[in-house]
Amino acid sequence: MAYEKLLNEIYAAVSLKYLWPLYRPCFVKSESPDWINETMDLGLEVSQALLPDDGQEESFIEHYLGCRREDLPPQALEKYGERLHFYNDRFWAILPDPNVQQDYIAKAKYRFERKLEKLNSNYRNMHYNGLYLFLHPNRESDVDAGQLFEYMMQRQKKEKLRFNWVFLNCVQKIYVCDYMKNEIEPILLPQNAEKFLTTEAEYIRWTKGAEEELQI
């Protein structure tokens, strides 16, 4: 699913809080990167594996997230139809088009390249760096995490600053690409965990999202 930017960022931090064994409190909201964890001396950037042409849907989500169904423009209902995802009759996301093959590999590589450039130019300097990517494959069974792991490892060798961890979110599974151990560790979400994480992220987004120092 394609969610609003801040909601994505909160979901990423919440999922690591509950599922990543190395997590230590706490993530504090920042910019460039999106989260700072002073305890871990870690900066975490969060992004979706999307190409520039996907920006139209992102802009729509940013503008209308949380709106009631009847408040959405009629042309949006015609354009996206059943791809519009509602919860409690409020708009939350746009589902991938099942009729369009999602080249998640190309999108993930593109987004990784952009974030690696920023890491080496304008991110706050932390001892450890992490990148959390939301992938959008048609099926989770299609994900070739090994191919992405190898590509990112080779690409980073050219740079001074590197991501120590890259987290690949595939909804029901999160692949942790650990570039200090040079291994991939899959985290399989327990039953109902994705629903719990989504609910927790939405609650934080709409109750605490405006706080100057948001912590998770």
Side-chain angles (χ1 to χ4, degrees):
M1 289 184 192
Y3 287 99
E4 177 231 20
K5 184 176 185 295
L6 181 55
L7 186 57
N8 274 336
E9 293 167 0
I10 292 173
Y11 183 99
V14 168
S15 68
L16 295 185
K17 173 183 177 180
Y18 286 105
L19 299 173
W20 189 33
L22 297 184
Y23 166 82
R24 299 292 180 271
C26 61
F27 285 115
V28 178
K29 190 67 186 75
S30 181
E31 290 296 334
S32 299
D34 296 311
W35 295 100
I36 295 294
N37 189 314
E38 296 285 1
T39 306
M40 302 180 67
D41 202 359
L42 168 68
L44 180 70
E45 179 70 5
V46 181
S47 186
Q48 296 192 71
L50 298 175
L51 297 173
D53 291 343
D54 298 318
Q56 189 175 12
E57 291 185 8
E58 280 192 292
S59 297
F60 180 84
I61 293 168
E62 294 287 334
H63 189 75
Y64 291 105
L65 188 80
C67 286
R68 295 189 178 279
R69 188 187 301 264
E70 58 268 23
D71 294 331
L72 295 179
Q75 58 267 33
L77 297 172
E78 295 175 6
K79 181 176 182 178
Y80 298 116
E82 294 183 357
R83 293 178 60 206
L84 296 173
H85 175 70
F86 294 90
Y87 179 75
N88 286 341
D89 214 36
R90 290 185 179 272
F91 169 65
W92 291 112
I94 298 178
L95 302 173
D97 188 343
N99 298 315
V100 176
Q101 183 66 33
Q102 301 295 315
D103 187 1
Y104 75 93
I105 289 285
K107 294 182 178 186
K109 289 180 177 180
Y110 171 83
R111 190 56 57 185
F112 177 79
E113 291 277 353
R114 303 290 79 75
K115 296 303 179 181
L116 187 60
E117 290 173 4
K118 290 187 175 181
L119 176 65
N120 281 273
S121 59
N122 66 345
Y123 282 178
R124 176 177 169 181
N125 188 17
M126 305 294 290
H127 186 73
Y128 298 107
N129 302 290
L131 175 62
Y132 192 109
L133 278 179
F134 289 88
L135 303 187
H136 300 283
N138 283 21
R139 296 185 304 272
E140 288 191 34
S141 59
D142 293 338
V143 174
D144 188 345
Q147 180 183 159
L148 283 175
F149 178 89
E150 183 66 23
Y151 172 83
M152 293 185 292
M153 180 176 67
Q154 296 300 327
R155 177 61 183 84
Q156 293 200 114
K157 289 181 179 180
K158 305 175 183 178
E159 304 294 341
K160 179 180 178 181
L161 298 178
R162 305 172 184 178
F163 289 110
N164 303 95
W165 294 284
V166 178
F167 306 91
L168 305 176
N169 183 293
C170 303
V171 184
Q172 294 299 330
K173 184 183 293 184
I174 299 173
Y175 290 98
V176 182
C177 299
D178 187 330
Y179 289 105
M180 291 181 291
K181 295 181 178 179
N182 283 326
E183 64 182 26
I184 306 175
E185 179 185 357
I187 299 176
L188 184 62
L189 273 64
Q191 187 175 8
N192 298 322
E194 198 276 330
K195 181 179 180 181
F196 166 78
L197 295 174
T198 299
T199 302
E200 182 80 358
E202 290 175 352
Y203 172 78
I204 295 172
R205 168 64 181 91
W206 297 109
T207 60
K208 302 179 181 180
E211 293 181 2
E212 290 188 7
E213 193 171 270
L214 176 61
Q215 298 186 9
I216 294 176

